Amino acid sequence: MSPYEEKGEDNKKTMDDFSDFKQVYIKISLWRGLNNMDRHDAVKEDDGAKMTMHWKFNMFEFYEKNHPKYLIFGERLLLNVAGGTSGRMIHHLVWERTVNVTGGKRKNIPKNLHCKHLNMQYKENSRDTGGQLTSNTVNRHCQMLGIGKKHSEYLQ
């Protein structure tokens, strides 16, 4: 008897035993796509409450996909936002997570992305010096990026 033949009345399979995997995949893909658009929209609008809500949703996925580092960071963020720190720090964690570089409505970007852009610009400018980095050159490049005052404070 081949494995494709029916063995009897007990082994009959009905449509209820199978789920439509294509439909499940489409639903998951649609949910992820809409959720991702909502995340970008929250960042553009600097909507701290919505960004915090997305961190709550992410906690399930971090646990399920075994990402303990992100799970710990998310847990610390949510505990601090829930009252584990001062009111000033809660305000900072919730509402000061983006930077508006170009001005105008809906032009915000995450702070870490802005720092990455500044870092890339600084490295590019430093490469153009041809290895002749002096303290004056470093100060000049920092001033060109708009971080000159902060850089001089760190060096002192």
Side-chain angles (χ1 to χ4, degrees):
M1 181 180 258
S2 73
Y4 300 106
E5 294 177 15
E6 292 288 329
K7 291 184 179 178
E9 202 65 33
D10 297 335
N11 258 352
K12 284 192 176 177
K13 295 182 179 177
T14 62
M15 288 304 291
D16 295 335
D17 295 339
F18 297 104
S19 62
D20 190 359
F21 293 114
K22 189 181 282 188
Q23 183 182 18
V24 170
Y25 175 77
I26 289 171
K27 285 180 180 179
I28 290 172
S29 297
L30 180 65
W31 184 84
R32 281 194 176 261
L34 291 174
N35 195 12
N36 198 20
M37 287 172 53
D38 193 38
R39 289 171 196 269
H40 286 293
D41 190 49
V43 169
K44 284 182 179 181
E45 293 177 354
D46 192 21
D47 190 354
K50 193 181 285 186
M51 285 188 276
T52 306
M53 181 187 67
H54 286 298
W55 269 98
K56 289 178 185 176
F57 283 137
N58 286 343
M59 297 300 284
F60 296 111
E61 190 170 340
F62 295 154
Y63 180 77
E64 186 176 298
K65 303 288 185 184
N66 196 19
H67 294 295
K69 182 174 101 174
Y70 299 122
L71 188 67
I72 291 169
F73 286 147
E75 182 183 37
R76 287 181 184 167
L77 172 71
L78 294 175
L79 285 174
N80 284 326
V81 167
T85 187
S86 67
R88 182 185 62 82
M89 196 65 183
I90 291 172
H91 178 79
H92 177 73
L93 288 172
V94 172
W95 298 106
E96 297 179 11
R97 301 180 67 83
T98 63
V99 177
N100 194 332
V101 181
T102 59
K105 291 182 180 179
R106 298 183 48 84
K107 302 274 184 168
N108 294 329
I109 61 171
K111 278 187 179 180
N112 61 347
L113 181 63
H114 179 62
C115 288
K116 188 183 282 188
H117 290 164
L118 290 176
N119 192 15
M120 286 174 26
Q121 285 178 339
Y122 177 76
K123 286 180 180 178
E124 190 176 303
N125 290 339
S126 297
R127 272 189 233 118
D128 294 340
T129 62
Q132 303 295 326
L133 281 176
T134 63
S135 62
N136 290 336
T137 309
V138 171
N139 286 334
R140 186 172 63 244
H141 287 300
C142 289
Q143 287 174 355
M144 286 191 302
L145 292 176
I147 57 174
K149 293 176 186 174
K150 294 178 183 174
H151 180 289
S152 62
E153 290 173 6
Y154 292 132
L155 290 178
Q156 292 177 354

